[in-house]
Amino acid sequence: MPKSEIVIRLGGEGGEGVISTGDIFTLASARTGYHVFTFRTYPAEIKGGHAWYQVRVGPRPVLSMGDQVDVLVAFNLEAYEKHKHLLNTEEGVLIYDPDEVTPEPRPRTVFYPIPFNRIARQDLNFVRGKNVVVTGVLAGLFGLDPTSLTQFITQRYKRRAELLDQNLKALEAGLNYAQKNLTKADPYYLTPTERVGRLVMSGNDAIVAGALTAGCRFYAGYPITPASEILELMAQTLPRLGGTSLQAEDEIAAIGAVLGASFAGVKAMTATSGPGLSLMTEFMGWSGMAEVPCVIVDAQRAGPSTGMPTKLEQGDLNHALFGGHGEFPRIVIAPGSVEDAFWQIINAFNLAEKYQTPVIFLSDQSLSHRTESLLKPDLSKVKVVDRIQPTADDLANGYERFAITETGISPMSIPGTPGGMYVAPGLEHDEKGHVDNPLASHEKMVPKRFRKLETLQKELEAPPRYGAPDARIGVIGWGSTEGAIREAVERCVAKGMKVAALHPKVLNPLPEKHLEQFISSMDMVIVPEINYTGQFARYLRSVFGIPVVRINKWGGLPFTAGEIQRKIEEVVNGR
Amino acid sequence: MVVSAIPLTAKDYKSEVKPTWCPGCGDFAVLSATYKALADLQLRPEKVVVVSGIGCSSRIPYFCNTYGTHTLHGRALPVATGIKMARPDLTVVVMGGDGDLFSIGAGHFPHAARRNLDILTVCMDNQTYGLTKAQYSPTSFVGHKSKSSPYGTVEMPMNPVLMALASGASWVARGYSGRPKQLQELIVEGIRHKGFAFLHVQSPCTEFHNTYNYYDARVQDIPKDHDPTDYMAAIRLAMPQEKTLLGVFYRSERPVYEERLRAFEQIKVEFDPDEFLSRYG
Ligand SMILES: Cc1ncc(C[n+]2csc(CCOP(=O)(O)OP(=O)(O)O)c2C)c(N)n1
Ligand code: SF4
């Protein structure tokens, strides 16, 4: 039976073009009308080391990167050795260079030996064109429309005529080779379907698009994997919008500048990864104390210390929730997918503005770097919130910047406003911001500040729920694992299991009412997360006092749906 | 700079908060010189932001009837950078101690200077840590005995003026709390200067390190024939000297950061999310 849902994995030496082959193939598939979901990982060094890229393509929405590999493209021997165990045992396809790899026999696998290196070196005299040859072969084999590939290559090299010519020839050579020398023996076809205008974006792209939509006009950051693309894209875009961006001298300066800009009345954001978040922590407390809004994106990577810069871990949740000295309200948000990242970062800005607190936005290496296809978000649904400012009345009657209110929110005047002068203090202060009687102030101000979270908690909507309505086994996840969890739960339900998942996006304050309802309707709660210690599981336990079953994975890679599914089945079957 | 219609006096910049400094603290002179300088410039209080870090000296924003931020130890300059980049229409003055600006905050200083943001940074140098009660500071002289250097410091003191010059500050001067009139004039000139202005003030701590007698005997104006546009001459004057020189060491014209960033303003467009997203199609 022909199949149009395929998981393709490409592996090879870092810098060999594995990632760009994957990207071009992904974009061409999406343009042909397919849904895509990618994962990439590469060595932290610039050249050398092993890189791989996985893309799952299908006619229906794809939620995760897929379990086993249907098509393995081995650029070299290492790639073959590293990934062969994942190759589909029923209908696998191995594409390899026979000059590099001599595969072991596999009864039900289709082998396509293609001398990539020889074609690039001898036929084309263009060693660096190997990846484009591979792209051509893939398009030829699976029937992707060559014109969209030609378009991409033309776009990419339009300013470099010679390279453009060589790359087009390489594409042609790959296509020809597939058509002339290979006999199609696999069941996979990506023939053009209805063309829907889908976007292909990475998590980092979506974060920038959403932030700018929310009104962010100041960005400061310091380069760090996997957040650097946010700095680069902001630096490219903000100046044209009358905004400004800063490559700061370090992360402390980055968040300091963000808070300065925000104090001055401009919506501002920074993005970093674990080590940078550590440096920003002192200022997180200042933001909470001085009630100056800010959005901090933490694209988590595997730690501790500098850890594994290009690998995934959901390891900073504790830091986001509890990091810092003293007690201050902070909002923590974790998006579940690329599209969700767009909407949640808008939410992050709105909540920062409304509640005048730091908002920590937890992306991670897989989400920041992976691409997904999505329909263009419905922009008519965008709501932008601005901080409340003192009225003329407030200003005329002895304005109090930190007025104690029922909601905990006080009007924030911005510099330039006559009569609104105040000092944003890191010291404990009274309603006016004066710091001379801290003991009396602290007693009143701590609850005032924390009331903001209570106000917000009441407003939180029900998180998305997946699976059986009458479920007895509940799965609660957070962050970028949403798609894999959803897919696993849906597979279990299809097998007749009474399983459902809840995926909260605001993690502090928790949507307690909704979680409680969910938890109390379950016999058992399972918490999958990509870390060793089960940070979210412990958090839920501390809030709800319930035992939970943990599913933990560490080692730098995302969950597959199959991994989660197997664990759920074990639990359901009482093992 | 925005000038007020009704003439403002020094009192208009004074807040209702009374300074908590020890009697005779050098910082009083800096504060009153600041009030007077703001009045000389007739800046509208709501258009001024005083930014500080942490230390006795860094309490100064509370005493000013302007906008202000009292940030974290050493972090005034990054916050000021954000304020000025976001709002070039505001007058931003950074004020803090030698420990604040040159110990914990030393990493930020050269970057603020080389960017040439249009701000004035005033360092109130008492060569000690006042707020934490008398440990030595990065500008303490060799041999200075303090609670944390009971046998005398063995570290070379930092030279803030030389550091400012080396970092690319476009206006560099020194004042002394014992010479309030000159201090006022220097603050006026520093705020007027378009670019990163750095004012080093010898501001004695009467409680832990009273150096009034030392400086009274040793301050001297920069020779009248010094040409402040001569960078090498400024560096020579900034080198350790027999006397503590007061006045303007260096002055130069260089495009300011926030304006160079805004060279794009002429093509300022509204953000169009629809168009932005289309590039991913
Ligand atoms: C991160 C951090 N470390 C240490 C301190 C304690 N601390 C407060 S002020 C200060 C030194 C102040 O010296 P200086 O900046 O020279 O100001 P002065 O009090 O002398 O005016 C120190 C070490 C702090 N507040 N924060
Ligand atoms: S301790 Fe020194 S620096 Fe601090 S207020 Fe007293 S005199 Fe001034």
Side-chain angles (χ1 to χ4, degrees), chain A residues 31 199-200 205 217 236 239-240 246 249 257 260 264 286 376 413-417 420 422-427 434, chain B residues 16 46 62 67-68 70-72 75 78-79 82-83 87 108 111 115 257 264 267-269 271 274 278-281:
Chain A
R31 207 165 261 197
L199 311 176
V200 177
D205 294 332
R217 290 297 177 272
Q236 187 191 92
R240 311 192 74 249
L246 172 72
E249 56 270 23
W286 190 83
K376 189 181 272 185
S413 113
I414 61 165
T417 311
Y422 77 101
V423 176
L427 291 171
H434 295 170
Chain B
E16 60 199 45
E46 70 269 16
Y62 296 111
Y67 280 89
H70 184 221
T71 67
L72 295 169
R75 312 302 169 198
V79 174
I83 296 172
R87 294 281 306 278
H108 303 304
H111 298 282
R115 287 182 191 121
Y257 187 63
F264 289 92
I267 54 163
K268 174 172 173 175
V269 287
F271 180 64
D274 199 64
S278 297
R279 69 164 86 168
Y280 298 101

Side-chain angles (χ1 to χ4, degrees), chain A residues 500-533:
Chain A
L502 202 70
H503 209 84
K505 305 299 167 68
V506 178
L507 304 183
N508 195 53
L510 277 174
E512 280 186 24
K513 188 179 67 188
H514 303 288
L515 277 165
E516 230 151 43
Q517 262 168 21
F518 182 81
I519 290 169
S520 62
S521 68
M522 300 295 165
D523 297 335
M524 176 91 73
V525 171
I526 305 174
V527 181
E529 51 189 321
I530 312 269
N531 57 37
Y532 182 74
T533 57

Side-chain angles (χ1 to χ4, degrees), chain B residues 173-194:
Chain B
R174 184 184 289 127
Y176 169 43
S177 291
R179 300 258 183 113
K181 184 72 189 144
Q182 181 186 36
L183 202 48
Q184 175 187 341
E185 285 161 10
L186 289 172
I187 294 173
V188 168
E189 190 176 332
I191 293 178
R192 271 216 182 108
H193 172 75
K194 247 183 127 30

Side-chain angles (χ1 to χ4, degrees), chain A residues 282 325, chain B residues 21 25 27 53-59 71-75 96-104 123-139 203 205 208:
Chain A
E282 192 190 14
H325 55 285
Chain B
W21 293 317
C25 175
D27 297 346
I54 297 296
C56 293
S57 40
S58 284
R59 289 283 171 115
T71 67
L72 295 169
H73 193 30
R75 312 302 169 198
D98 42 303
D100 189 72
L101 284 161
F102 289 105
S103 189
I104 192 165
C123 175
M124 297 177 239
D125 186 354
N126 53 15
Q127 296 166 284
T128 186
Y129 281 14
L131 193 68
T132 47
K133 300 193 170 56
Q135 299 84 2
Y136 72 99
S137 96
T139 53
S203 178
C205 166
F208 300 120

